[in-house]
Amino acid sequence: MNTLHEYATIDSLRAALAVHRQAGRRIALVPTMGFLHEGHLSLVEEARALADVVVMSIFVNPRQFQPGEDFEQYPRDLAHDRALAEARRVDMLFIPEVTEMYGGGDEMRIVPRETAARWEGEFRPEHFEGVLTVVAKLFNIVQPDVACFGQKDIQQYTLIRRMVEELDFPIQLHLGETMREADGLARSSRNVYLTPEQRVQALAISRALRAVEGAFEQGELDAAVLRGIARDILDGEPDLITDYIAVVEPERLAPVEAVDAGSVVAIAARIGSTRLIDNVILGDEDV
Ligand code: PAF
């Protein structure tokens, strides 16, 4: 398949997917909120290698934004997204309106517990409930064989993995590595909010992660020491306010005292009104 087909309703998408399923084709889902960048597009490439048909959803999900967050201002450019999706050979684009996604009612939610309460959850209390609810809906609508998510949102991915395991979704998950600008800044749709000066200061986040990774490779396993290395670099940028430096195990993102390969170091920091997150999996070749 090569021509991009677009669907705005659940029924029309399901009817088209039924044809592929009957033909025995494997279906991959790449869920996004649009304003596509290389992070999303590299997931499409990986999805193509894992399945016959690539479905991308573009839906800015109001339920995962806290009151006062940037739901209204969240960058949107559907025409550009369509062009990029077509160029990267997405087969099916699902672009529902809010009424299509949530027209069925407002009573039900997927409510995660422990893993969602920490880190991002402390700063965005209902965020993961909104994420998991929309992802569960997308899984039910598309019924993909495989679904692809980016490592930048590691807590989101961890919770989706838990949801798939605990609620028995018959779906394989694929984690795509974080895509970065040439200077190391993790690709994010929200990077457009940064002024040139803020962007320079924001580089301290990936610099801190690189330094932690380097120290780990030199044999440093003490989480407090690694956190201190990151803290010193982040504190060097006066306008950068660190929300957390998490040094955690990968299953539930609980803090650890000593790291090993597979431990996750995640940072969230604010600059002006923009909140940025990034992370590294120790022992991985990232950053
Ligand atoms: O990562 C995102 O862009 C969103 O959280 C997702 C997974 C598309 C759900 O709205």
Side-chain angles (χ1 to χ4, degrees):
M1 283 190 69
N2 272 326
T3 326
L4 181 68
H5 293 93
E6 192 170 315
Y7 307 86
T9 65
I10 295 169
D11 284 350
S12 63
L13 177 68
R14 277 192 169 143
L17 282 166
V19 175
H20 291 302
R21 218 167 273 116
Q22 267 157 25
R25 297 190 186 111
R26 251 175 91 76
I27 295 164
L29 172 65
V30 182
T32 80
M33 299 208 300
F35 210 67
L36 301 178
H37 52 70
E38 199 50 39
H40 304 109
L41 299 170
S42 68
L43 286 180
V44 169
E45 306 276 314
E46 289 164 10
R48 289 215 70 78
L50 295 166
D52 307 303
V53 179
V54 177
V55 182
M56 173 185 274
S57 59
I58 297 182
F59 179 61
V60 184
N61 172 32
R63 288 196 190 170
Q64 69 187 73
F65 290 78
Q66 301 294 125
E69 278 190 350
D70 56 345
F71 174 66
E72 299 296 342
Q73 302 83 33
Y74 193 83
R76 294 162 169 87
D77 187 346
L78 261 184
H80 193 229
D81 286 351
R82 278 192 189 99
L84 289 174
E86 183 150 36
R88 299 300 272 267
R89 301 197 302 129
V90 170
D91 298 300
M92 307 170 90
L93 261 186
F94 179 46
I95 313 189
E97 295 288 339
V98 173
T99 46
E100 179 67 10
M101 282 301 272
Y102 292 125
D106 191 23
E107 273 204 69
M108 292 298 144
R109 296 282 192 285
I110 303 278
V111 185
R113 292 160 65 108
E114 194 189 326
T115 306
R118 43 175 80 108
W119 316 124
E120 284 303 285
E122 269 187 44
F123 294 86
R124 312 178 75 193
E126 283 169 23
H127 170 68
F128 290 120
E129 191 174 308
V131 169
L132 294 181
T133 301
V134 80
V135 169
K137 282 173 72 69
L138 289 167
F139 283 178
N140 284 331
I141 292 165
V142 177
Q143 296 180 25
D145 297 282
V146 55
C148 303
F149 297 89
Q151 185 189 319
K152 190 178 75 64
D153 297 291
I154 190 79
Q155 194 172 3
Q156 162 175 289
Y157 178 76
T158 306
L159 282 157
I160 291 169
R161 198 180 63 215
R162 297 232 63 77
M163 178 178 81
V164 162
E165 279 171 24
E166 292 187 25
L167 301 185
D168 306 302
F169 282 91
I171 296 173
Q172 177 195 337
L173 294 179
H174 173 78
L175 181 66
E177 79 177 57
T178 302
M179 291 292 119
R180 297 180 182 281
E181 307 286 353
D183 55 15
L185 186 69
R187 298 265 180 141
S188 162
S189 304
R190 288 189 168 102
N191 288 351
V192 291
Y193 297 150
L194 298 170
T195 65
E197 296 74 25
Q198 290 175 334
R199 207 182 167 293
V200 170
Q201 293 204 37
L203 291 178
I205 300 172
S206 55
R207 213 163 50 239
L209 290 170
R210 262 201 314 271
V212 168
E213 176 107 280
F216 170 74
E217 278 159 15
Q218 298 298 308
E220 182 58 70
L221 301 181
D222 187 323
V225 172
L226 295 175
R227 235 187 340 268
I229 290 170
R231 166 72 61 191
D232 286 347
I233 292 174
L234 295 169
D235 286 354
E237 295 299 345
D239 299 331
L240 199 63
I241 298 164
T242 304
D243 281 347
Y244 60 78
I245 303 165
V247 183
V248 298
E249 49 75 33
E251 288 307 313
R252 287 186 168 71
L253 307 185
V256 292
E257 285 180 11
V259 298
D260 51 22
S263 298
V264 176
V265 182
I267 292 175
R270 283 170 285 138
I271 186 151
S273 54
T274 307
R275 195 156 177 287
L276 299 168
I277 58 173
D278 198 354
N279 68 81
V280 63
I281 301 174
L282 295 178
D284 248 29
E285 281 167 22
D286 187 27
V287 194

